[in-house]
Amino acid sequence: MKRVSLTQYLVEEQRQHNTIPAELRLLIEVVARACKTISHSVGKGALGEVLGTAETENIQGEVQKKLDIISNEILLEANEWGGHLAAMASEEMESIHPIPNRYPKGEYMLLFDPLDGSSNIDVNVSIGTIFSVLKAPEGMAQPTEADFMQAGTRQVAAGYAVYGPQTMLVLTTGNGVNCFTLDREMGSWVLTQRDIQIPATTKEFAINMSNQRHWHAPVQRYISELLAGDTGPRGTNFNMRWIASMVADVHRILNRGGIFMYPADTRDTSMPGKLRLMYEANPMAFIVEQAGGAATDGKQRIMDIQPHKLHQRVPVFLGSRDEVAVVTGYHTEG
Ligand code: AHG
Ligand code: MN
Ligand code: MN
C-alpha cells in the first residue's frame, strides 16, 4: 500500500481544492506535531510522572489534572512562534492568549480542549485533544475575546486526536473528513481513512444515564422510547455506550454510527449541559456534519449559534442524522 503522509495529503488537497493555503497547512502540521508530543506523554503514564491531579482549578471550577496542564503548555509552545496565528484560546485558560510581540502574527485563531476526557487519564482509557480554527476578523489589531465570537459555520478547520489503542488524528477543512494514524516508530501521521461517512441510521446511543432524573421532558421521552426497545414505539432494540471522553464517543460514531447526547437539565440553568461551544461542540459539529451527520443543541444547528462568551456551554445532540432529527423534533414540536 502506498503511504500518504499528512503533509502530502495537505499539499494535494490545496492543489486540487484550494482549501489549505500554506499558513493553514503549517498550523495543522504544528497542531498535529503537538498532538504527537501529547500522545507520547499520555503513553508514558506513571513512568513520565504525568498522572494524577495538579493543585489548581480551571475557569470552569474543575480540578485540573497534570495532563490538562501539560497538554495546554505543549499546544501553546508549539503554536506561538510559527507566525500563522494571531491568538489562541483554551479550556484551561480564563482569557485568550494573544501571540507574544516577539513573534510575527498570522491571520488564524486557534481554540482547543487540550485534554478531553480528563476523568479517564488515570484509568488508562481513551482521551483526546479537540481543536477549532477561525480566521481573525479583517483589520484586527490587538486580538480580544470579541474577535473569537464567531459562529461555528465560520470555522476553516477542525479536528481531534484520540489517544487510544492507536493514536489517530481526524481532520476536516470543509471538504469531508479524513483520518490519520500515528506511526509510532516513524513518528509520522499516515492517511488511513478517506472521506469518512456516518451511517444515517443507528441503534446505538450515548448519554450519561446517571443524570436521568434531571432531564427535561423531550430527553426523558426520547431515551425512554429507546430503552423500551422492541416493546416500545420504536419497535427495535437499542444498545448503549458511554466512554466519558467526547473524543472517543465521537470517534466510535464516525466509524459505525450512533447518537451522542449531553443535554441541558433542570439543575443550574446558567450552565446548559456540560460541553463548551467554542472548543468542544463546534469543532465536533463541523466534523460530524462533514461526515454526513447532524449536530444540534436540541433546537437549532450548533454551528449556527452566535457565541457570546468564550467558555459558554451548550446542550449537544450529534451523530447519525436520522436519530438527531428525532430528538430535535421532540424539542421543537408543540
Ligand atoms: P473535559 O475532560 O475536557 O472536561 O471534558 C469531559 C467531557 C466530555 O469529554 C465527556 O463526554 C463528558 O465530559 C463526560 O461527562 P460525565 O463526567 O458527566 O460522564
Ligand atoms: Mn472536553
Ligand atoms: Mn479538557
Side-chain angles (χ1 to χ4, degrees):
M1 184 183 81
K2 186 182 170 307
R3 286 162 63 115
V4 174
S5 68
L6 176 64
T7 304
Q8 186 178 353
Y9 164 80
L10 294 170
V11 168
E12 288 177 353
E13 189 69 11
Q14 166 64 5
R15 253 179 229 150
Q16 285 164 24
H17 304 286
N18 211 22
T19 48
I20 312 180
E23 267 201 7
L24 182 58
R25 171 157 64 86
L26 177 62
L27 189 167
I28 292 168
E29 291 196 279
V30 169
V31 170
R33 199 173 310 136
C35 290
K36 204 155 60 177
T37 310
I38 297 171
S39 175
H40 184 76
S41 279
V42 168
K44 285 266 172 203
L47 305 178
E49 298 181 9
V50 298
L51 303 184
T53 302
E55 301 293 299
T56 47
E57 275 191 4
N58 67 12
I59 170 73
Q60 344 267 343
E62 299 161 343
V63 175
Q64 290 176 302
K65 299 281 187 172
K66 282 185 195 162
L67 260 179
D68 287 323
I69 297 171
I70 293 168
S71 307
N72 193 57
E73 286 299 321
I74 289 172
L75 281 157
L76 285 179
E77 264 186 50
N79 281 286
E80 269 189 347
W81 52 267
H84 51 284
L85 287 178
M88 292 181 255
S90 162
E91 176 189 343
E92 303 302 337
M93 300 187 297
E94 179 167 1
S95 326
I96 68 157
H97 179 92
I99 296 301
N101 284 329
R102 60 183 181 280
Y103 299 119
K105 318 254 181 312
E107 58 175 333
Y108 295 102
M109 303 194 299
L110 175 66
L111 296 109
F112 45 82
D113 174 356
L115 210 291
D116 175 67
S118 305
S119 73
N120 284 325
I121 295 171
D122 295 343
V123 293
N124 197 11
V125 171
S126 294
I127 48 185
T129 296
I130 311 172
F131 67 95
S132 163
V133 183
L134 294 169
K135 267 204 157 167
E138 283 290 316
M140 182 182 81
Q142 188 58 18
T144 66
E145 185 171 320
D147 297 311
F148 281 84
M149 298 298 102
Q150 304 181 30
T153 49
R154 307 271 295 273
Q155 293 172 102
V156 294
Y160 64 77
V162 55
Y163 313 114
Q166 302 116 48
T167 290
M168 290 181 168
L169 180 76
V170 170
L171 175 70
T172 186
T173 53
N175 180 36
V177 179
N178 293 284
C179 179
F180 304 82
T181 303
L182 180 62
D183 181 330
R184 295 183 207 267
E185 282 75 45
M186 303 295 286
S188 58
W189 294 103
V190 181
L191 180 61
T192 44
Q193 281 169 281
R194 269 190 200 272
D195 200 18
I196 300 174
Q197 287 293 315
I198 300 175
T201 60
T202 181
K203 291 181 180 175
E204 201 161 68
F205 69 99
I207 193 165
N208 185 340
M209 287 291 302
S210 71
N211 297 323
Q212 181 172 24
R213 69 191 183 286
H214 305 294
W215 295 338
H216 297 294
V219 179
Q220 295 283 6
R221 175 184 170 195
Y222 178 66
I223 299 295
S224 70
E225 290 181 3
L226 299 187
L227 292 175
D230 58 11
T231 63
R234 300 298 302 268
T236 186
N237 293 325
F238 282 78
N239 194 11
M240 198 194 90
R241 288 286 184 275
W242 184 253
I243 302 174
S245 292
M246 186 194 204
V247 163
D249 279 310
V250 168
H251 194 68
R252 181 188 62 254
I253 288 170
L254 273 187
N255 281 285
R256 68 174 191 215
I259 177 167
F260 170 94
M261 292 159 275
Y262 215 114
D265 62 34
T266 54
R267 283 173 290 184
D268 183 349
T269 49
S270 69
M271 295 210 293
K274 180 176 185 187
L275 300 173
R276 280 59 53 115
L277 175 62
M278 301 299 293
Y279 40 80
E280 290 177 317
N282 266 341
M284 289 310 201
F286 191 18
I287 292 165
V288 164
E289 284 197 11
Q290 283 292 317
T296 77
D297 68 353
K299 300 208 161 89
Q300 62 169 329
R301 186 181 174 212
I302 283 175
M303 290 209 291
D304 282 338
I305 296 171
Q306 174 57 45
H308 54 86
K309 60 177 199 250
L310 194 55
H311 298 288
Q312 91 184 62
R313 295 178 190 233
V314 65
V316 172
F317 301 85
L318 63 75
S320 293
R321 63 170 185 266
D322 291 358
E323 284 307 314
V324 174
V326 174
V327 70
T328 305
Y330 289 0
H331 284 82
T332 50
E333 74 187 24

